[in-house]
Amino acid sequence: MVELSREAKIEMLRRMLRIRIFDEVASELQAKGEIPGPLHTSIGQEAEVVGACMALSRQDYMTGNHRSHGHPIGKGAPLGPLMAELLGKETGVCKGRGGSMHLADFAIGSLGESGIVGAGMPIATGAALSAKLRGTDQVALTFFGDGASNTGPFHESLNLAAIWKLPVIFLCENNGYAVVTRASDMVAVENIADRATAYAIPGEVVDGQNVLSVHEATSRAVKRAQSGAGPTLLDVRTYRYRDHAEFGKMGDSVASYRSKEEVEAARKRDPIEMFAKILIEGEVLDEDGVASVRAQVISEVDEAVDFARASAFPDVSTAFDFLFVDAVAPRH
Amino acid sequence: MVELSREAKIEMLRRMLRIRIFDEVASELQAKGEIPGPLHTSIGQEAEVVGACMALSRQDYMTGNHRSHGHPIGKGAPLGPLMAELLGKETGVCKGRGGSMHLADFAIGSLGESGIVGAGMPIATGAALSAKLRGTDQVALTFFGDGASNTGPFHESLNLAAIWKLPVIFLCENNGYAVVTRASDMVAVENIADRATAYAIPGEVVDGQNVLSVHEATSRAVKRAQSGAGPTLLDVRTYRYRDHAEFGKMGDSVASYRSKEEVEAARKRDPIEMFAKILIEGEVLDEDGVASVRAQVISEVDEAVDFARASAFPDVSTAFDFLFVDAVAPRH
Amino acid sequence: MSSILSDEVHQDSSNSTVKQTFLEATVATIVEEMRADPTVFTMGQDIRGGVYGAYPLAEFGERVRSLPISEAANVGAAIGSAMTGMRPVLDMTIATFLYSAMDQIVNQAAKSRFLFGGQARLPLVIRCTMFYGSSQAAHHNDRAYAMFMHVPGLKIVVPSSPVNAKGLMRAAIRSNDPVLVFEDSTLWGTRGDVPVDPDFIIPLGEAEIRQRGSDVTVIGIGQSLRTVDQALKLLGKDGISIEVIDPRSLCPFDWKTVLASVDKTRRVVVVDNGPMTCGVAGEILATVAEHFHGRLLAPPKRVTAPDMHLAFSPQLEKALLPSREAVAEAIKSTFEYRGKEI
Amino acid sequence: MSSILSDEVHQDSSNSTVKQTFLEATVATIVEEMRADPTVFTMGQDIRGGVYGAYPLAEFGERVRSLPISEAANVGAAIGSAMTGMRPVLDMTIATFLYSAMDQIVNQAAKSRFLFGGQARLPLVIRCTMFYGSSQAAHHNDRAYAMFMHVPGLKIVVPSSPVNAKGLMRAAIRSNDPVLVFEDSTLWGTRGDVPVDPDFIIPLGEAEIRQRGSDVTVIGIGQSLRTVDQALKLLGKDGISIEVIDPRSLCPFDWKTVLASVDKTRRVVVVDNGPMTCGVAGEILATVAEHFHGRLLAPPKRVTAPDMHLAFSPQLEKALLPSREAVAEAIKSTFEYRGKEI
Ligand SMILES: Cc1ncc(C[n+]2csc(CCOP(=O)(O)OP(=O)(O)O)c2C)c(N)n1
Ligand SMILES: Cc1ncc(C[n+]2csc(CCOP(=O)(O)OP(=O)(O)O)c2C)c(N)n1
Ligand SMILES: [Mg+2]
Ligand SMILES: [Mg+2]
């Protein structure tokens, strides 16, 4: 059992609220056309992101996927440059080049999210290898979905990490769906955790709506990684409230793939409400305390939006930047 | 327990001997420069190939890998066109285009071996899908090595086959090595069979030096496939006597990767000798009977070599053949 | 825009047409072929969910298959089924996901027939969409068909309109070889008249002359033909007589039509939204240079994207795609060129 | 063959050289860089078994790593370690295995720096060998570097000799960007004088003029330069003054040197062992055509492999690679061309 300080618990709540409110606001901005491109929210999944990230330190590495906002927020990235990125601004964390699916904040160990499902797992494995070769006690954690557990890179990465006993944590954000397709139709095994057997490493099903459970399980995996025992596979059960992505005008022909009742049932175990209750019952915060954290976060997000809006778009003269470190003029 | 007729048992011995002698002769021809390119023998692995193939019928499908001669021989392909292929002749089963690593004999369900490790598994899965869609009771069997069990396509194919309950058998020729690297260093799990857990399908360790055990296990997998229950993973333990490949002049710097003692120990369980003994003890054949099968096979292989040698190389004017079915002249 | 309909199309026995979008025409063709031939079936991620077009699920049952995120196995499944008598139409959704299955595409689909001395037939279609110009960022917005042109054994089409989408898709499905269909997401919503004839087909390897002219040959690939249309508007009606060609299929490529046009105009501009180096436009320029030594009236020109990724940020993304102005300027300067010549 | 050593090489402070094969020079350079920089390490399938060159295992311990057959993870491991301060040299062994890791190469290695707005550095080297001309058949014998030239964000070298192998490998390892090194198995055994200077380097993007001449510019890629040498022998000493250029690195490409040479000779022949369409040779022809309108004395020519797989059977395989005779004939006919010209 990991002891969490009062501050840490409040920080957990804060980060979960940041993800929730950031994504709610981002959805609105996208609907209004202020954010271009598709947008994948982590609303409903805040606990698994924050529980995991709070088990890491700033210098630990992290990779993620298309559902990318929550991860850097969870790991502590400032919101302004993230929001500016979604708006495609030069002050964005990726200078407007990556956008919603490709947030990265190397300053806090976020090595980048990926628009390619499954692609972040080998890269986290490489970061863990690097830590091992350099002899640091850094670990790497990679977030991926249930859908991604069917990709070749999942298998190859877990095997590589296992044979080399690399300090990497494979955290499956098992929200039961890939786009509109049920995990139960696509993943041949009931528990993705059971796939750990194929690499002789621990695999664990975790309640992803309980931030403390996720924190606990991840902390154990971090310890194991740091002890040189190798990787862990966490099968973290969660749920996304919104559809796969906000596509703007796309997806009109999409059949309904889940029932209202299912969504309602899931909402009953809202990770933020549940944790707020735990904090109140444990007398960490009272209702006002929770409300004031929420109010702080709302103004943080508002500031992020103001910052993003006030920022300029990248100048077209910079369109050729960032291709190479050792400058080569691109042909055109 | 599958009942095998006397003829079937003798045919098993014959096919095992064909593989052994074909590969011994091919190695000699390669050393002499009559066979160009590298050559991978199945000497020592005859039982797993034949035991599996004899559990299939002619119209069942099969894919394989770089260690490619044994598979079509095991499935009953005539030797002449196989040997002619190794010599690069127009009468070769692939008309001299594919060579040693790419034998295929569609007439007996051999959909092709592959120089790309792991690549045959998705294709066998597709053949099984086709059988299912067409409503036949054909099954597909794919041979691959312990090394191939670390590839992405392994994972993706097993999952796909499992969710669709396709009639496909994944047969791992677990000979303990990939080139000069030990499976125990590269495969994170002790038994590759345990990887079946990741797909909720049966996985079984099988004694690959006992042709009857392999036949038995494969027959069970075929039944399961035909019943609509889906794929099976067989982890068939075997051993190759010769090095990974006959490389001609390459590979001088290769460190010794296994001990003489290990090879000697494996040879003590020679699959052909063991099966001959079973046949003699079971009074299926006497020693002379075994010797006469061997003599027949030797002359079959000799004839194959004669056929191959007497055949012409493909005419250079045909260099552009077989790119497309619907003819397009290649640009040059 | 009547120029979409080429001469070939008008030769059809049935003249009745229907208004359809590019995407509707594509899906309708697949459905028609599935009705006509029981060996045709289709697979794709979320395909039963209707994310990329709605199929009549009840009618086809198991012949419309949703796929896991297992690109290599998915292409392999198409290959294996094609080798054994089926005609799969595999929807890979986004073109950048082809890379996840590259071995199956390049080493297996493109090579198997050859490697096995002609024993294998691979009648398979791989659909994929290029999502660029809509802030999807670099993991989704490649336009990399030229990479596949370098691979012997693959046929490649890039439809530019609903009618072409229909005719080329039918040709792709009926082809006995692997065909990659690169669809342009920016064209999916375009409406046009599409023949209802269930055998309407545009044979692979036949370019379309969209507009006849005698001064400059302009060749455009896929969506870039829209940019060409806009450039023509900018240039106005009079002055330059422009011949506009849509190769439609990149392999086989209709060199005859392209070279005949250049033979007539002796000026050529190629427009393509893909990166420049080793792209389609370069290949056309090289071939033209080999054939027309000393006969061109102006340097052959290409207007392409540069060798650069496209950004997420809308203006940056747009800045790197050929603009109507750049195309108009290229046509104009080619026409007006008065440098060294014979 | 002294023409291997270019002017740059002679400028080195240390003039001492050692005789090494191409493969020895390559491995020696990796070892030297590993000694000089603790962040450099190497990985490859069977690499500790010495299948593709012998490393001092005891000296480097964990810095020489044998890999499972997991190409995507292997490239990803290189990317992740490069992003976090290491300089991996990944031996992919055979070039056709790149396809199994294509997503990691094209979508991740080539794009990450850009996607993340310059936050990522990816100093990683991917070695691979093209096994053609030795009956390995089509699953091993591609020569597909041109596909990667179409991908923004990748640097690409194709060394043609031991000294180039050494200098380019050092430049690749010291580069802060992903570099693909395409080695030619038919050159691995070639011996040559290689500088011992531990800082000897051939900067990326500098072509080598192997032979100066004024009548025809001949550009060859990798092993095809040997064919060019043989063609020159066939042509004999007198008659045609030929300038032979080895671009050495395909990205960045030294257009300056190539165009300056063509500016002088006004005749160009490009020789490449890769397939024709959308290949390097076509790109060079296209660029030459854009620059030298009306100034070339003969049609630009390419001598490449056709758009066809290479067979296993030795004669069939050889038949499709550029022959010395074809190259000699191309040079001769280009020189003697008396058709339409200015
Ligand atoms: C290689 C690849 N294939 C397909 C896609 C398209 N795609 C984007 S997200 C997604 C679903 C991912 O599901 P999951 O991994 O469960 O993550 P979730 O969206 O549920 O968080 C798909 C299929 C992709 N981006 N990359
Ligand atoms: C994708 C790919 N990676 C690497 C290779 C090189 N290679 C050829 S055979 C082989 C070892 C295969 O080992 P295993 O699968 O155990 O089969 P075995 O040779 O032992 O029968 C390797 C690494 C290849 N052909 N394809
Ligand atoms: Mg999911
Ligand atoms: Mg093995």
Side-chain angles (χ1 to χ4, degrees):
Chain A
M1 190 62 195
V2 193
E3 266 316 312
L4 278 167
S5 69
R6 183 171 179 275
E7 285 67 41
K9 286 180 185 159
I10 296 172
E11 182 65 15
M12 275 182 167
L13 178 70
R14 181 176 296 117
R15 292 193 189 181
M16 285 165 69
L17 282 164
R18 278 190 190 141
I19 296 174
R20 171 81 43 107
I21 293 162
F22 183 97
D23 266 356
E24 282 172 353
V25 170
S27 293
E28 285 166 27
L29 295 180
Q30 205 256 8
K32 281 197 266 173
E34 274 192 77
I35 291 178
L39 192 104
H40 306 74
T41 65
S42 295
I43 297 172
Q45 304 190 191
E46 298 87 350
E48 48 94 354
V49 177
V50 171
C53 286
M54 293 277 297
L56 304 177
S57 68
R58 196 182 165 86
Q59 55 273 20
D60 289 332
Y61 299 118
M62 178 183 85
T63 67
N65 62 2
H66 55 284
R67 196 169 303 290
S68 94
H69 316 161
H71 307 144
I73 297 175
K75 202 157 190 301
L79 301 188
L82 296 181
M83 189 61 86
E85 187 62 29
L86 300 200
L87 270 73
K89 299 299 181 76
E90 179 66 28
T91 57
V93 71
C94 300
K95 300 205 157 44
R97 271 61 178 183
S100 163
M101 281 190 279
H102 307 92
L103 299 179
D105 188 345
F106 277 52
I108 53 129
S110 155
L111 301 179
E113 307 281 317
S114 182
I116 302 297
V117 169
M121 290 183 264
I123 296 173
T125 304
L129 168 62
S130 164
K132 186 179 168 128
L133 285 171
R134 287 181 289 105
T136 73
D137 72 348
Q138 290 163 295
V139 306
L141 182 145
T142 179
F143 288 104
F144 60 96
D146 44 284
S149 84
N150 294 327
T151 65
F154 165 90
H155 175 64
E156 296 187 356
S157 302
L158 276 149
N159 186 64
L160 190 64
I163 59 170
W164 288 351
K165 299 200 183 307
L166 297 180
V168 53
I169 297 135
F170 293 88
L171 191 148
C172 182
E173 303 177 291
N174 188 345
N175 60 11
Y177 293 90
V179 191
V180 297
T181 302
R182 275 176 201 279
S184 55
D185 289 336
M186 292 293 141
V187 182
V189 71
E190 201 184 321
N191 299 317
I192 288 170
D194 293 345
R195 296 199 154 165
T197 308
Y199 318 101
I201 59 167
E204 199 180 326
V205 175
V206 181
D207 175 3
Q209 302 311 82
N210 182 335
V211 67
L212 296 173
S213 309
V214 180
H215 183 261
E216 185 71 30
T218 310
S219 299
R220 238 180 290 125
V222 168
K223 263 224 184 82
R224 176 177 147 84
Q226 286 171 332
S227 77
T232 300
L233 174 61
L234 300 177
D235 176 357
V236 181
R237 302 302 168 82
T238 185
Y239 201 82
R240 59 166 160 75
Y241 295 172
R242 301 180 69 96
D243 274 342
H244 173 66
E246 334 279 301
F247 269 122
K249 267 153 287 165
M250 283 185 50
D252 303 338
S253 62
V254 175
S256 145
Y257 59 96
R258 59 181 188 182
S259 66
K260 266 200 183 123
E261 292 70 36
E262 185 184 298
V263 181
E264 283 318 308
R267 279 179 179 273
K268 293 228 168 77
R269 294 194 72 241
D270 183 79
I272 297 179
E273 281 171 26
M274 275 166 46
F275 189 54
K277 210 168 146 209
I278 289 173
L279 291 184
I280 291 165
E281 283 171 359
E283 295 182 7
V284 176
L285 282 178
D286 57 15
E287 299 232 354
D288 284 354
V290 170
S292 107
V293 174
R294 178 184 296 274
Q296 283 162 25
V297 169
I298 288 173
S299 58
E300 257 188 275
V301 173
D302 282 347
E303 275 166 39
V305 173
D306 290 345
F307 171 77
R309 283 184 171 148
S311 299
F313 286 106
D315 196 276
V316 167
S317 68
T318 66
F320 291 99
D321 286 359
F322 308 128
L323 188 61
F324 291 117
V325 179
D326 303 330
V328 176
R331 296 187 79 202
H332 60 284
Chain B
M1 189 63 194
V2 193
E3 266 316 310
L4 278 166
S5 68
R6 184 171 179 272
E7 286 65 42
K9 286 179 184 160
I10 296 171
E11 182 64 16
M12 276 184 166
L13 179 69
R14 181 176 296 115
R15 292 194 189 180
M16 285 166 71
L17 282 164
R18 277 190 190 141
I19 295 174
R20 171 78 46 105
I21 293 162
F22 183 96
D23 266 355
E24 282 172 352
V25 169
S27 293
E28 284 165 28
L29 296 179
Q30 205 255 8
K32 281 197 265 172
E34 274 192 76
I35 291 178
L39 191 105
H40 307 73
T41 65
S42 294
I43 298 172
Q45 303 190 192
E46 298 87 351
E48 48 95 353
V49 176
V50 171
C53 286
M54 294 276 297
L56 305 177
S57 67
R58 197 183 165 85
Q59 55 273 21
D60 289 332
Y61 299 117
M62 178 183 85
T63 68
N65 62 2
H66 55 284
R67 197 170 303 290
S68 92
H69 317 163
H71 307 145
I73 297 175
K75 200 155 190 302
L79 302 187
L82 297 180
M83 189 60 86
E85 187 61 31
L86 300 200
L87 271 71
K89 299 301 181 72
E90 179 67 28
T91 57
V93 71
C94 300
K95 300 208 159 42
R97 270 62 177 183
S100 162
M101 283 189 279
H102 308 93
L103 300 179
D105 188 345
F106 278 52
I108 52 131
S110 155
L111 301 179
E113 308 281 317
S114 180
I116 302 297
V117 169
M121 290 183 265
I123 297 173
T125 304
L129 167 63
S130 162
K132 186 179 169 130
L133 286 170
R134 287 181 289 106
T136 74
D137 73 347
Q138 290 164 296
V139 306
L141 182 144
T142 178
F143 288 104
F144 60 96
D146 43 285
S149 83
N150 294 326
T151 65
F154 165 90
H155 175 63
E156 296 187 356
S157 303
L158 276 149
N159 186 65
L160 190 64
I163 60 171
W164 287 351
K165 299 203 184 304
L166 297 180
V168 53
I169 297 135
F170 292 89
L171 191 148
C172 181
E173 303 178 288
N174 188 346
N175 60 12
Y177 292 90
V179 190
V180 299
T181 302
R182 275 176 202 280
S184 54
D185 289 337
M186 292 292 139
V187 182
V189 72
E190 202 184 320
N191 299 317
I192 289 170
D194 293 345
R195 297 198 154 166
T197 307
Y199 318 102
I201 60 167
E204 197 182 326
V205 176
V206 182
D207 176 3
Q209 303 311 82
N210 184 336
V211 67
L212 296 174
S213 310
V214 180
H215 184 261
E216 185 71 29
T218 310
S219 299
R220 238 179 290 126
V222 168
K223 263 223 184 82
R224 177 178 147 83
Q226 286 171 334
S227 78
T232 300
L233 173 61
L234 300 177
D235 175 358
V236 181
R237 302 302 167 82
T238 185
Y239 201 83
R240 62 166 157 74
Y241 295 172
R242 302 180 66 97
D243 275 341
H244 172 66
E246 334 278 302
F247 268 122
K249 267 152 286 165
M250 282 186 54
D252 303 338
S253 62
V254 175
S256 145
Y257 60 95
R258 59 182 186 180
S259 67
K260 267 201 182 121
E261 291 71 37
E262 185 184 297
V263 181
E264 283 318 308
R267 278 179 180 273
K268 292 226 168 79
R269 295 194 73 240
D270 184 80
I272 297 180
E273 281 172 25
M274 276 166 45
F275 189 54
K277 213 169 142 206
I278 290 173
L279 291 185
I280 291 166
E281 283 170 358
E283 294 182 9
V284 176
L285 282 178
D286 59 13
E287 300 232 351
D288 283 354
V290 170
S292 110
V293 174
R294 176 185 297 273
Q296 283 163 23
V297 169
I298 288 173
S299 58
E300 258 188 273
V301 173
D302 283 347
E303 274 167 40
V305 173
D306 290 345
F307 171 77
R309 282 183 173 149
S311 299
F313 286 105
D315 196 275
V316 167
S317 68
T318 66
F320 291 99
D321 287 0
F322 308 129
L323 188 60
F324 291 117
V325 179
D326 303 329
V328 177
R331 296 187 77 202
H332 60 283
Chain C
M1 196 174 51
S2 69
S3 71
I4 280 179
L5 295 173
S6 70
D7 296 349
E8 300 92 87
V9 176
H10 289 304
Q11 289 161 14
D12 262 319
S13 55
S14 153
N15 274 321
S16 57
T17 60
V18 63
K19 276 237 183 295
Q20 276 178 330
T21 65
F22 184 112
L23 183 57
E24 285 162 357
T26 300
V27 172
T29 311
I30 297 168
V31 167
E32 286 163 20
E33 291 299 295
M34 285 177 69
R35 284 189 184 128
D37 179 349
T39 69
V40 178
F41 71 106
T42 189
M43 310 191 277
Q45 286 165 14
D46 302 298
I47 200 167
R48 294 182 67 87
V51 175
Y52 300 97
Y55 291 82
L57 300 182
E59 176 181 354
F60 292 129
E62 288 215 295
R63 288 166 67 202
V64 180
R65 308 183 74 87
S66 282
L67 289 168
I69 310 175
S70 308
E71 276 75 13
N74 299 346
V75 174
I79 293 172
S81 63
M83 277 184 176
T84 54
M86 301 298 289
R87 304 183 86 88
V89 179
L90 174 62
D91 184 352
M92 291 289 282
T93 71
I94 321 262
T96 47
F97 308 160
L98 296 177
Y99 303 131
S100 297
M102 199 72 171
D103 174 70
Q104 289 290 326
I105 298 169
V106 175
N107 276 329
Q108 318 307 324
K111 293 179 180 173
S112 286
R113 179 170 175 75
F114 176 75
L115 274 170
F116 305 142
Q119 293 179 82
R121 294 166 83 90
L122 292 115
L124 73 99
V125 177
I126 296 181
R127 288 179 66 192
C128 60
T129 310
M130 300 174 290
F131 270 102
Y132 63 107
S134 54
S135 287
Q136 297 259 351
H139 277 168
H140 288 73
N141 68 16
D142 284 5
R143 297 122 287 138
Y145 30 77
M147 290 179 74
F148 296 89
M149 291 173 71
H150 195 59
V151 179
L154 298 176
K155 294 179 173 174
I156 301 163
V157 302
V158 185
S160 60
S161 66
V163 67
N164 282 337
K166 173 138 219 168
L168 292 168
M169 180 54 80
R170 190 169 336 268
I173 296 174
R174 295 193 183 174
S175 158
N176 291 304
D177 299 302
V179 183
L180 269 59
V181 180
F182 283 88
E183 301 174 20
D184 200 307
S185 71
T186 60
L187 298 177
W188 266 1
T190 330
R191 295 188 89 75
D193 289 318
V194 177
V196 295
D197 177 356
D199 284 318
F200 168 71
I201 196 165
I202 298 175
L204 304 183
E206 290 192 9
E208 176 185 15
I209 300 176
R210 286 163 67 101
Q211 168 175 314
R212 297 202 180 266
S214 55
D215 289 334
V216 182
T217 298
V218 177
I219 300 155
I221 312 299
Q223 190 277 349
S224 75
L225 284 158
R226 276 183 149 187
T227 315
V228 170
D229 287 338
Q230 295 161 349
L232 298 196
K233 285 215 184 89
L234 280 186
L235 289 170
K237 277 279 164 224
D238 38 29
I240 317 177
S241 166
I242 298 168
E243 181 138 310
V244 180
I245 298 179
D246 175 2
R248 299 198 289 205
S249 100
L250 300 179
C251 177
F253 192 96
D254 186 351
W255 289 108
K256 218 175 118 203
T257 297
V258 165
L259 296 178
S261 176
V262 178
D263 193 43
K264 172 174 67 178
T265 62
R266 297 165 70 193
R267 296 184 187 91
V268 64
V269 174
V270 188
V271 188
D272 179 36
N273 289 338
M276 179 170 139
T277 298
C278 294
V280 199
E283 182 56 41
I284 296 173
L285 259 53
T287 305
V288 163
E290 289 171 314
H291 281 80
F292 294 98
H293 172 68
R295 299 197 45 232
L296 292 183
L297 300 173
K301 263 213 162 69
R302 52 182 159 174
V303 186
T304 71
D307 293 348
M308 188 65 207
H309 305 302
L310 300 182
F312 165 77
S313 196
Q315 291 314 311
L316 275 192
E317 183 174 26
K318 216 178 138 194
L320 298 188
L321 293 168
S323 67
R324 64 190 83 184
E325 291 78 16
V327 173
E329 170 54 30
I331 296 171
K332 197 157 172 279
S333 67
T334 297
F335 178 65
E336 291 173 353
Y337 183 83
R338 294 291 174 269
K340 298 209 179 201
E341 67 198 55
I342 46 161
Chain D
M1 195 173 53
S2 70
S3 71
I4 282 180
L5 295 172
S6 70
D7 296 349
E8 301 92 87
V9 176
H10 289 305
Q11 288 160 13
D12 263 319
S13 55
S14 153
N15 274 321
S16 57
T17 59
V18 62
K19 276 236 181 299
Q20 275 177 332
T21 65
F22 183 112
L23 183 57
E24 286 162 357
T26 300
V27 172
T29 310
I30 298 168
V31 167
E32 286 163 20
E33 291 300 293
M34 285 176 69
R35 285 190 182 126
D37 179 348
T39 67
V40 179
F41 71 106
T42 189
M43 309 191 279
Q45 285 164 14
D46 301 300
I47 200 168
R48 294 182 67 87
V51 175
Y52 299 97
Y55 290 83
L57 301 182
E59 177 182 352
F60 291 129
E62 288 214 295
R63 289 167 66 205
V64 180
R65 308 183 75 86
S66 282
L67 289 169
I69 310 175
S70 306
E71 275 76 13
N74 299 345
V75 174
I79 292 171
S81 64
M83 277 184 176
T84 55
M86 301 298 289
R87 304 184 85 87
V89 180
L90 174 61
D91 185 351
M92 291 289 283
T93 73
I94 320 264
T96 46
F97 308 160
L98 295 177
Y99 302 130
S100 298
M102 199 71 171
D103 174 69
Q104 288 290 325
I105 298 170
V106 174
N107 276 329
Q108 318 307 324
K111 293 178 181 173
S112 286
R113 179 172 176 73
F114 176 76
L115 274 170
F116 305 143
Q119 293 180 83
R121 296 166 81 88
L122 292 115
L124 75 98
V125 177
I126 296 180
R127 288 178 66 193
C128 60
T129 311
M130 299 174 289
F131 270 102
Y132 63 106
S134 53
S135 289
Q136 298 259 352
H139 277 169
H140 287 72
N141 67 16
D142 283 6
R143 299 121 286 136
Y145 30 79
M147 288 177 76
F148 296 90
M149 291 173 72
H150 195 59
V151 179
L154 298 176
K155 295 179 173 174
I156 302 163
V157 302
V158 186
S160 61
S161 65
V163 68
N164 282 339
K166 173 141 219 167
L168 292 169
M169 179 54 78
R170 193 173 328 273
I173 297 174
R174 294 191 184 176
S175 159
N176 291 305
D177 298 303
V179 183
L180 268 59
V181 181
F182 282 88
E183 301 174 20
D184 198 306
S185 71
T186 60
L187 296 176
W188 266 1
T190 330
R191 296 188 88 75
D193 290 317
V194 177
V196 295
D197 177 355
D199 284 319
F200 167 71
I201 197 165
I202 298 175
L204 304 183
E206 291 192 6
E208 177 185 13
I209 300 177
R210 286 163 65 102
Q211 169 177 312
R212 297 204 178 267
S214 54
D215 290 333
V216 182
T217 298
V218 178
I219 301 156
I221 312 299
Q223 190 276 349
S224 75
L225 285 157
R226 276 183 149 188
T227 314
V228 170
D229 287 338
Q230 294 162 349
L232 297 195
K233 284 216 184 86
L234 280 186
L235 289 169
K237 277 280 162 221
D238 38 29
I240 316 177
S241 168
I242 298 167
E243 181 138 308
V244 181
I245 298 180
D246 175 2
R248 299 198 289 207
S249 100
L250 301 180
C251 178
F253 192 98
D254 186 352
W255 289 108
K256 217 175 120 203
T257 297
V258 165
L259 296 178
S261 176
V262 178
D263 193 43
K264 174 173 67 179
T265 62
R266 298 165 68 194
R267 295 183 187 93
V268 64
V269 173
V270 187
V271 188
D272 179 35
N273 290 337
M276 181 171 137
T277 298
C278 294
V280 198
E283 182 56 41
I284 296 173
L285 258 55
T287 305
V288 163
E290 290 170 313
H291 281 80
F292 294 99
H293 172 68
R295 298 196 47 232
L296 292 182
L297 299 173
K301 263 214 161 68
R302 51 182 158 174
V303 186
T304 71
D307 293 347
M308 187 65 207
H309 305 303
L310 300 181
F312 165 77
S313 196
Q315 292 312 311
L316 275 193
E317 182 173 28
K318 218 177 135 194
L320 297 189
L321 293 166
S323 68
R324 63 189 83 182
E325 291 78 16
V327 174
E329 171 54 30
I331 296 172
K332 199 157 170 281
S333 67
T334 297
F335 179 65
E336 291 173 353
Y337 183 83
R338 294 289 174 272
K340 298 208 177 202
E341 68 197 56
I342 46 164

